[in-house]
Amino acid sequence: MARSVPDMSVLGKRGDRIGNTINLLGEGFQKCSTNLYHVETNPNGVINLGTSENRLVFDLLRERLDGYNVKWEDYMFTYNDFQGIPELREAVAGFLTDCAKSLTPIDPKKIVVMNGGGICMEALSFAICDPGDAVMVASPYYGGIENDNTMRPEAKVIRVHFYSKLEPGQTEPFEITISKFESVYQEQTQKGVKIRAVCFMNPNNPLGDVYPKQFVLDMLQFCHRHSLHLIMNEVYMNTIFKEGADFQSFLSFKPEEIPDPQRVHFVWAVSKDLSMSGMRFGVIHTQNESIISCINSFTYFQTLSAYIQKVMACLLSDRDWLNNVYFPTNHKRLREAHKVTTDTLDEMGVPYLNRPSGLFVYANFQKFLPSLTKEDEMALFYRFIDDGVYIAPSLAFFADERGWFRIIFSRPFNEVKTAMGRLKKSCNALLEENKKLSSATAVSDESKGAGPSDSAQGMSLEGLLSQLKTEISSSDWLEKNTADKWKTENPELYKEYKANMK
């Protein structure tokens, strides 16, 4: 039965705007959902390497959560503190104090619990910005940040674009610089844009970069100079799987290192670090009591069930297991899955960012695009899905450089191997198709008098002669361009030719 098209005319302007929002990450997820791969029941389905979820540790989580044997209690059937039940906020405070290495214990009263990290981002934007105000974000960035700020808060996102080609002051591709932020800030404010905040992810999604403490201090100073709020998103703080990365959580900074603590707000969630995106659990930590009061006035709409809060309180209090079993095992499996992915990319000759964190690799597929346009990138995106693999294009991350794709590797190893095999096969087929197209174009150009193309020069003599023979036999150029016709159309050149022949 055909799916009916929604009648958008029944909506108000806001509903129409939201209903027509384009979300490429959501589109890829939906295309997978309708034909999802399963090794036994649907082996030809689409493998989802586009949604940032970790499926490598479900066995650990199931066993541990079952062991808590959480019982139903009377308070779970009633309304509770919409900021989060006290037991949970105390567990969150202890967990963050421990894993972020905070110098002083985090105050549970400064924590708000909501149903997801994205909702926490939206809540902060909603509290800080009026409609039309702006938030600055370094691009490429996780595409959800766009909707978190624009959909319901109705703020604007000012993209500070960075590229793979190094610019002055950079030592790494896509390296974020404060000077670029400063330049874009001045440019936008001169246009009358009211910028209220900077949203900053450390570690970064989709790049996997981990930013050192000094850079975060510089960002704090930039925000302080312009009286901007800084929203620190650290949802991947415990998903740094390679050793040696210089990561220090914002929560570990000394009080004197933070010039404006009332304008710095921290976001964390269990979706990435604890591989539990389905739990819908995120937290805000802020020193700003006005922000907490404002957000608490609407947490009624975005709270968690009391039962889930109790389960999460048990898990976050189980720090011995988390630190000695879960995190080490998770990091080991992530390293192995990362290697499976990057080994195949190396075989394909596809450049990528070899970074220490996250669940993904940001890879450069530009050589498979006829041109670096939105249209060609989307065509490649759909081609990969047709060939059984969903990976997310640069457009999903609001990047300004086409041809890069994010590949999620945190899937069961055999699934990752199958997906990467499909991706390699698809790319090899594309290269062959492009090679044949280039060869045919080159031969066609030569038959019209053009010089040989690079692809023609790379062909064997037998292949080139075969192509020429085919093109000549199928062409009417010789029939149309006779010597008599040339003499008639070029009388002066004909006279000169005859003179030189004597």
Side-chain angles (χ1 to χ4, degrees):
M1 184 176 179
R3 186 177 179 181
S4 61
V5 178
D7 180 8
M8 306 301 283
S9 66
V10 303
L11 302 176
K13 291 182 180 179
R14 178 177 53 199
D16 183 65
R17 173 180 58 81
I18 292 174
N20 284 292
T21 299
I22 297 173
N23 182 350
L24 281 179
L25 293 176
E27 180 180 343
F29 180 83
Q30 288 300 323
K31 285 185 177 295
C32 284
S33 298
T34 58
N35 184 28
L36 189 62
Y37 170 87
H38 188 278
V39 65
E40 295 177 354
T41 61
N42 192 22
N44 295 319
V46 181
I47 300 177
N48 185 345
L49 298 191
T51 302
S52 188
E53 294 179 319
N54 184 358
R55 296 170 179 256
L56 292 171
V57 286
F58 290 169
D59 58 329
L60 298 179
L61 292 169
R62 280 194 303 269
E63 180 181 358
R64 198 63 179 181
L65 292 174
D66 284 344
Y68 296 144
N69 197 25
V70 175
K71 302 293 186 182
W72 286 97
E73 300 179 47
D74 288 351
Y75 78 88
M76 296 177 181
F77 300 103
T78 66
Y79 292 117
N80 288 277
D81 187 341
F82 292 120
Q83 187 174 340
I85 62 174
E87 181 183 358
L88 175 59
R89 284 189 283 123
E90 289 170 6
V92 170
F95 172 82
L96 292 177
T97 299
D98 180 35
C99 69
K101 298 180 174 59
S102 177
L103 298 178
T104 57
I106 291 172
D107 185 354
K109 295 178 182 178
K110 305 297 185 184
I111 288 172
V112 181
V113 178
M114 305 185 80
N115 61 340
I119 287 296
C120 292
M121 299 287 288
E122 183 195 71
L124 287 167
S125 181
F126 205 92
I128 291 167
C129 298
D130 288 324
D133 289 350
V135 175
M136 299 181 74
V137 187
S139 162
Y141 56 85
Y142 162 58
I145 291 174
E146 189 80 10
N147 286 343
D148 295 343
N149 286 281
T150 64
M151 186 175 285
R152 294 195 295 189
E154 298 184 60
K156 298 177 182 177
V157 174
I158 301 299
R159 299 161 194 159
V160 185
H161 290 298
F162 295 93
Y163 304 89
S164 61
K165 183 178 180 181
L166 298 188
E167 297 177 307
Q170 292 180 318
T171 58
E172 296 283 347
F174 300 105
E175 182 179 354
I176 299 174
T177 62
I178 300 299
S179 60
K180 187 76 171 285
F181 263 82
E182 189 71 57
S183 175
V184 172
Y185 176 84
Q186 297 298 337
E187 176 186 319
Q188 292 296 319
T189 53
Q190 287 173 12
K191 293 178 180 178
V193 177
K194 184 179 180 180
I195 299 175
R196 293 282 291 158
V198 171
C199 177
F200 182 64
M201 287 195 75
N202 187 25
N204 184 287
N205 174 11
L207 304 178
D209 282 322
V210 173
Y211 301 99
K213 179 178 180 178
Q214 185 56 55
F215 180 83
V216 180
L217 292 173
D218 293 342
M219 182 62 78
L220 284 165
Q221 289 296 333
F222 166 76
C223 291
H224 179 57
R225 282 197 302 274
H226 301 295
S227 299
L228 303 177
H229 291 262
L230 178 59
I231 301 172
M232 286 294 306
N233 185 319
E234 294 189 10
V235 297
Y236 288 96
M237 66 185 298
N238 293 301
T239 311
I240 301 171
F241 55 88
K242 290 186 179 180
E243 297 179 356
D246 181 19
F247 174 78
Q248 288 181 263
S249 170
F250 158 75
L251 297 178
S252 71
F253 291 8
K254 299 176 182 177
E256 60 268 25
E257 294 176 317
I258 304 171
D260 194 350
Q262 292 295 306
R263 284 194 172 94
V264 188
H265 320 291
F266 170 91
V267 173
W268 180 78
V270 302
S271 54
K272 314 306 177 186
D273 282 351
L274 297 181
S275 312
M276 304 171 82
S277 56
M279 283 290 193
R280 310 309 307 133
F281 178 93
V283 299
I284 296 170
H285 173 271
T286 179
Q287 300 291 341
N288 191 313
E289 293 185 4
S290 295
I291 294 285
I292 292 174
S293 177
C294 173
I295 292 175
N296 278 344
S297 69
F298 57 80
T299 51
Y300 168 84
F301 301 105
Q302 294 150 332
T303 189
L304 292 81
S305 75
Y307 185 87
I308 293 298
Q309 292 191 56
K310 174 67 175 182
V311 172
M312 296 311 301
C314 292
L315 178 61
L316 294 174
S317 300
D318 194 1
R319 290 196 287 280
D320 182 65
W321 179 79
L322 288 171
N323 292 331
N324 296 307
V325 178
Y326 174 80
F327 286 131
T329 305
N330 184 36
H331 294 165
K332 178 178 182 294
R333 293 179 183 181
L334 286 173
R335 284 193 294 271
E336 292 170 352
H338 180 270
K339 187 175 187 304
V340 170
T341 304
T342 54
D343 281 353
T344 305
L345 291 174
D346 287 336
E347 293 171 6
M348 296 165 62
V350 172
Y352 57 89
L353 303 184
N354 193 1
R355 299 296 187 255
S357 74
L359 309 174
F360 36 74
V361 173
Y362 203 50
N364 183 350
F365 287 81
Q366 291 178 351
K367 71 177 182 178
F368 303 103
L369 294 177
S371 63
L372 300 183
T373 62
K374 172 183 176 181
E375 292 74 18
D376 282 342
E377 181 175 278
M378 287 302 296
L380 187 57
F381 167 64
Y382 291 123
R383 169 64 179 262
F384 287 152
I385 290 177
D386 289 342
D387 289 340
V389 185
Y390 159 44
I391 59 176
S394 72
L395 285 161
F397 308 104
F398 297 90
D400 198 38
E401 181 178 350
R402 302 283 75 82
W404 289 76
F405 284 72
R406 187 190 69 177
I407 304 171
I408 304 299
F409 57 78
S410 49
R411 295 292 188 274
F413 299 137
N414 289 336
E415 193 170 313
V416 174
K417 289 178 181 178
T418 300
M420 293 306 295
R422 290 181 180 183
L423 198 61
K424 181 178 180 180
K425 182 178 179 181
S426 180
C427 287
N428 286 340
L430 278 167
L431 288 177
E432 285 300 313
E433 292 167 16
N434 291 339
K435 182 178 179 181
K436 290 178 180 178
L437 180 62
S438 297
S439 298
T441 301
V443 171
S444 178
D445 287 343
E446 285 191 60
S447 70
K448 296 175 183 177
S453 67
D454 291 340
S455 59
Q457 290 177 359
M459 293 176 64
S460 68
L461 181 59
E462 287 185 359
L464 183 57
L465 289 174
S466 176
Q467 287 284 351
L468 282 171
K469 183 178 179 181
T470 301
E471 290 293 327
I472 291 172
S473 63
S474 63
S475 173
D476 59 358
W477 187 88
L478 290 175
E479 295 178 7
K480 291 181 178 179
N481 294 276
T482 63
D484 288 339
K485 180 183 178 184
W486 181 83
K487 181 175 73 172
T488 302
E489 293 178 351
N490 302 277
E492 295 300 323
L493 285 175
Y494 178 69
K495 289 179 182 179
E496 185 176 341
Y497 166 76
K498 292 290 288 182
N500 288 331
M501 290 296 291
K502 293 179 181 178

